[in-house]
């Protein structure tokens, strides 16, 4: 048992089938699959359940580095190792409730001249040398990465403009939405995608030109004032 306290709690909660009432009738259904919608431990339940598959894959294919985020699995390494990992995932995954979907799987390669080879090696899987989005980041060539970041920056700039519109009447609400919502997206992108800081310059401009004046009523926002607003929370942080 990987986590005895969690095991006992989940056993008490899901140890017997759940009675589900059919809306508008007196009929009931007995469900022994999945978790209750909204259950706070659903993610922990899944994580514990998938650990056996993850450990098995690492033992079966030690040369393939794999990482997981919830049900998103990733394998990285040389072609043969990744091929073995993919075959093992298809073989053992369904037995443990994990069903790989080739049509939703992306293979990123370094050499664009070998696309035909990899397509034959991984039938049914999309092969690209340009790269692809991975979670909230991007893996691929510099050009494709910059294109992806530019698209995201355009979205965030528009989001900030929308929030700025509401900031004149609801400054606290606008700031909370900005700080706890939008900023977390590009902070993650900056942590996981190297050398893209300069691409986020439009965000800085819209913060200075739109958001801060809307929240504070001060315009224009001087460089000194902008530096003050950029302090850490314990020192009076704004943005």
């Amino acid at each position: 048992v990987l986590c005895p306290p969690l095991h006992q709690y989940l056993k008490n909660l899901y140890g017997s089938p759940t009675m589900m009432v059919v809306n508008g009738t007196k009929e009931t259904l007995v469900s022994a699959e999945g978790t209750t919608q909204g259950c706070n431990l659903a993610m922990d339940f899944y994580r514990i359940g998938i650990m056996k598959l993850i450990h098995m894959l690492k033992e079966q294919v030690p040369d393939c580095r794999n990482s997981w985020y919830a049900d998103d699995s990733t394998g990285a390494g040389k072609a043969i190792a990744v091929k073995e990992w993919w075959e093992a995932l298809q073989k053992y995954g369904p037995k443990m409730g994990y069903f790989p979907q080739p049509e939703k799987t992306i293979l990123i390669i370094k050499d664009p001249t070998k696309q035909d080879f990899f397509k034959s090696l991984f039938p049914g899987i999309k092969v690209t040398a340009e790269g692809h989005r991975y979670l909230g980041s991007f893996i691929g060539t510099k050009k494709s990465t910059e294109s992806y970041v530019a698209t995201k920056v355009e979205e965030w700039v528009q989001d900030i403009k929308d929030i700025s519109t509401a900031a004149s009447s609801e400054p606290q609400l606008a700031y909370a939405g900005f700080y706890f919502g939008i900023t977390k997206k590009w902070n993650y992108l900056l942590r996981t995608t190297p050398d893209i800081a300069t691409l986020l310059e439009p965000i800085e401009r819209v913060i200075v030109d739109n958001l801060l004046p809307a929240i504070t009523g001060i315009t224009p926002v001087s460089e000194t004032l902008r530096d003050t607003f950029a302090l850490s929370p314990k020192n009076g942080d704004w943005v």
Side-chain angles (χ1 to χ4, degrees), residues 2 47-57 59 96:
L2 295 176
R47 182 164 54 243
I48 294 296
I50 207 69
M51 288 299 294
K52 183 176 180 180
L53 175 60
I54 295 174
H55 291 157
M56 181 179 294
L57 291 171
E59 293 175 0
M96 301 181 189

Side-chain angles (χ1 to χ4, degrees), residues 129-144:
E130 297 298 320
H132 196 271
R133 178 184 62 82
Y134 176 62
L135 299 179
S137 185
F138 193 89
I139 300 175
T141 64
K142 181 179 180 180
K143 181 179 179 181
S144 295

Side-chain angles (χ1 to χ4, degrees), residues 25-223:
T25 72
K26 295 182 179 181
E27 298 182 16
T28 59
L29 297 175
V30 178
S31 173
E33 296 184 2
T35 58
T36 303
Q37 184 175 1
C39 177
N40 293 330
L41 292 177
M43 193 65 251
D44 297 308
F45 196 177
Y46 182 84
R47 182 164 54 243
I48 294 296
I50 207 69
M51 288 299 294
K52 183 176 180 180
L53 175 60
I54 295 174
H55 291 157
M56 181 179 294
L57 291 171
K58 288 184 176 181
E59 293 175 0
Q60 292 277 337
V61 194
D63 293 333
C64 180
R65 299 179 61 184
N66 65 96
S67 62
W68 291 69
Y69 183 83
D71 61 346
D72 285 324
S73 58
T74 305
K78 294 186 178 298
I80 298 302
V82 175
K83 175 67 173 178
E84 293 177 354
W85 172 82
W86 175 244
E87 291 177 343
L89 184 63
Q90 289 182 304
K91 178 179 179 181
Y92 299 110
K95 297 178 181 178
M96 301 181 189
Y98 186 86
F99 299 89
Q101 296 178 292
E103 67 276 8
K104 294 184 178 181
T105 302
I106 308 295
L107 178 66
I108 303 173
I109 62 175
K110 291 183 178 180
D111 189 348
T113 64
K114 295 183 179 180
Q115 286 202 23
D116 291 339
F117 166 74
F118 282 103
K119 286 180 179 179
S120 63
L121 192 62
F122 294 88
I125 293 179
K126 179 181 177 180
V127 179
T128 176
E130 297 298 320
H132 196 271
R133 178 184 62 82
Y134 176 62
L135 299 179
S137 185
F138 193 89
I139 300 175
T141 64
K142 181 179 180 180
K143 181 179 179 181
S144 295
T145 300
E146 292 179 347
S147 176
Y148 171 81
V149 173
T151 301
K152 302 304 293 184
V153 167
E154 288 181 6
E155 294 177 7
W156 296 330
V157 165
Q158 185 58 52
D159 288 342
I160 296 172
K161 288 181 179 179
D162 293 340
I163 286 180
S164 300
T165 302
S168 57
S169 59
E170 296 287 350
Q172 292 176 319
L173 182 62
Y175 175 71
F178 169 78
Y179 186 80
F180 294 106
I182 303 174
T183 64
K184 307 305 178 184
K185 297 179 181 179
W186 69 65
N187 284 339
Y188 177 82
L189 188 67
L190 285 167
R191 289 199 308 270
T192 57
T193 313
D195 305 323
I196 62 168
T198 57
L199 301 176
L200 275 66
E201 178 61 29
I203 293 177
E204 174 62 20
R205 290 200 301 271
V206 76
I207 290 174
V208 174
D209 296 341
N210 296 71
L211 182 63
L212 289 177
I215 291 178
T216 65
I218 301 173
T219 183
V221 175
S222 66
E223 185 175 343

